[in-house]
Amino acid sequence: MSSLTLERKNISDRFTEKEKTKRIIKWIRRSDSKLRKRFSFLKYQNAIGFGITMGSAFGMILLGSLYVMDIIPFWACIIGNGILASFLHEMEHDLIHSIYFKESPKMQNFLFWMVWLFRANTVNPWFRKEIHLLHHKLSGNIEDIEERFISNGMPWGIRRILVMIDPIMAVVLQGPKIRKDAIRYLAKIKAKPIKGPYRLVYLLLWYSFLIWGMISLINWAIGSPILETGTTAYIHNFLNTAAVVYLIPCWLRQTSIQIVSSNMHYFGDVKSLYQQTQVLDSWWILPLHLFCFNFGATHGIHHFVVTQPFYLRQAVAPKVKPFLKKYGIRFNDFESMTRANRYQKQEMDGIAIPA
């Protein structure tokens, strides 16, 4: 095993980062091409994307209906809808890169509406498209609006945890710093971060569910449960049902990907595409990967080749990941969390780490 590790290290050291990047990109494209030739149906890319979007959306409706009719338990609905919502997130990401219906803006907009309304706790796709494309240009820099809003580059602590799990805290704790650091890029964004009342409605329902549930739990714990009748009981039952069918699955998906994404991207001293990401595929991340479609194990592939649909990225990953390791891409570099996601491993004594 040690000789194999040494051999990989020697192979990696023979080439510059630019040369290794070219070889990795070539290998990903070769693996993708072989898969497309083997399965001819993959040429129907638009139809596949449309089918995944509509199938996932109707799947969420179906599971929600089965729960309301008391056919499936609450946990099955939460897990199932969380997974289906992760499919929709991947579809939104692919649409941002115009992987489907590039020739039809109307169809892209229709699919944007579909993937967003079934995950309304996120910023709208039109705004996210601009900050995500900026992310690919400036990944790891202080102007990387998208990643910094989900805590990338923050020192570990309660502030970072709050930013990862709560959208309001992300705006409160990171918003002023990001506006200061990236004002030039924010001024160029044409899409508005707020589009319609949908995200506001989600947040209103979400916080109402959390606060009401907390009050009820406290009263139950002290032996004085609240007796709910009439309209009060109806509203609380509606909130609980909405939480199982929609609110909790969306929060689970969003929190899972924000924890994984903010820690697999490097920040602050990134000098090249080669240094932008690592691979997170440790077994203990599996619960998070369940709700973000194996994001940490495969998203690095996307940074090298952005035109690949998410399902093909997953399909080629078993062949590509050994190649990434061979050429020195880091795997499960959890120590980077103690360095505020810095790429360099040397001690950070005396160096200011911006949040």
Side-chain angles (χ1 to χ4, degrees):
M1 181 63 73
S2 59
S3 61
L4 180 60
T5 303
L6 181 61
E7 181 185 355
R8 283 176 176 164
K9 184 177 180 180
N10 290 338
I11 290 174
S12 179
D13 290 344
R14 283 185 216 150
F15 305 100
T16 65
E17 286 188 358
K18 188 174 182 179
E19 290 170 331
K20 286 184 281 190
T21 297
K22 288 182 178 179
R23 287 170 175 262
I24 289 170
I25 291 172
K26 186 176 180 180
W27 183 257
I28 294 170
R29 286 177 173 163
R30 180 184 298 172
S31 301
D32 184 284
S33 179
K34 286 183 178 179
L35 203 63
R36 289 177 183 273
K37 289 178 181 178
R38 183 178 177 186
F39 299 103
S40 58
F41 69 87
L42 291 173
K43 66 183 177 181
Y44 301 108
Q45 198 159 286
N46 289 346
I48 293 171
F50 183 84
I52 291 172
T53 302
M54 303 307 292
S56 299
F58 284 113
M60 290 181 70
I61 294 173
L62 175 62
L63 288 178
S65 300
L66 292 175
Y67 169 73
V68 171
M69 292 186 291
D70 205 24
I71 295 175
I72 62 174
F74 74 93
W75 57 264
C77 184
I78 290 173
I79 293 174
N81 275 358
I83 293 171
L84 290 171
S86 75
F87 285 25
L88 293 173
H89 174 82
E90 293 297 327
M91 275 301 306
E92 179 192 76
H93 177 255
D94 281 1
L95 285 163
I96 284 171
H97 288 281
S98 295
I99 289 175
Y100 314 104
F101 298 102
K102 188 174 183 179
E103 73 288 350
S104 177
K106 288 185 178 180
M107 182 59 78
Q108 284 190 339
N109 283 332
F110 169 73
L111 293 177
F112 266 155
W113 278 108
M114 289 296 296
V115 299
W116 182 39
L117 293 180
F118 282 82
R119 310 155 29 259
N121 60 326
T122 65
V123 295
N124 69 75
W126 297 272
F127 179 78
R128 189 186 169 225
K129 179 174 183 175
E130 295 194 56
I131 63 173
H132 183 73
L133 296 179
L134 179 65
H135 159 67
H136 277 278
K137 292 179 182 178
L138 299 170
S139 184
N141 293 286
I142 60 172
E143 300 91 352
D144 187 353
I145 298 165
E146 184 179 48
E147 280 299 317
R148 290 192 66 197
F149 256 123
I150 63 173
S151 84
N152 186 230
M154 293 181 72
W156 262 94
I158 187 64
R159 288 168 60 88
R160 177 161 186 165
I161 292 171
L162 288 173
V163 168
M164 287 191 295
I165 69 173
D166 187 89
I168 299 299
M169 288 295 100
V171 173
V172 171
L173 297 177
Q174 283 292 83
K177 297 174 184 177
I178 294 171
R179 279 193 292 271
K180 179 181 177 182
D181 293 335
I183 185 65
R184 182 162 62 95
Y185 294 96
L186 282 168
K188 294 179 181 179
I189 295 177
K190 297 178 181 179
K192 300 296 183 184
I194 298 175
K195 190 178 183 71
Y198 314 107
R199 190 165 189 247
L200 179 61
V201 170
Y202 175 93
L203 293 175
L204 179 62
L205 292 174
W206 176 240
Y207 290 119
S208 297
F209 165 73
L210 291 179
I211 293 170
W212 200 326
M214 188 178 300
I215 293 173
S216 298
L217 185 61
I218 291 172
N219 279 272
W220 175 83
I222 63 178
S224 181
I226 300 173
L227 181 61
E228 297 174 348
T229 59
T231 302
T232 303
Y234 175 81
I235 294 174
H236 198 187
N237 182 64
F238 170 79
L239 282 175
N240 289 339
T241 301
V244 171
V245 170
Y246 188 71
L247 304 177
I248 296 176
C250 286
W251 178 82
L252 267 178
R253 184 211 64 78
Q254 185 74 355
T255 300
S256 295
I257 199 167
Q258 289 184 173
I259 293 172
V260 173
S261 182
S262 65
N263 286 293
M264 68 155 295
H265 287 90
Y266 289 105
F267 175 85
D269 57 352
V270 173
K271 297 180 177 63
S272 66
L273 169 61
Y274 181 85
Q275 297 179 3
Q276 288 178 3
T277 60
Q278 60 168 300
V279 175
L280 292 179
D281 62 356
S282 174
W283 64 269
W284 66 268
I285 307 177
L286 289 177
L288 296 175
H289 275 164
L290 180 66
F291 297 107
C292 64
F293 211 78
N294 201 33
F295 186 89
T298 59
H299 184 68
I301 298 172
H302 168 70
H303 270 247
F304 287 105
V305 177
V306 299
T307 56
Q308 189 178 48
F310 74 96
Y311 49 87
L312 284 184
R313 185 163 62 250
Q314 295 290 335
V316 303
K319 289 188 176 181
V320 171
K321 286 200 296 181
F323 204 79
L324 296 177
K325 187 173 289 187
K326 173 183 175 181
Y327 281 97
I329 297 298
R330 294 177 188 168
F331 277 60
N332 301 312
D333 177 19
F334 295 117
E335 290 182 3
S336 65
M337 299 179 190
T338 67
R339 306 191 301 268
N341 306 119
R342 292 306 191 268
Y343 185 80
Q344 296 299 328
K345 293 186 176 183
Q346 62 261 33
E347 292 296 323
M348 303 298 293
D349 293 343
I351 300 178
I353 300 177

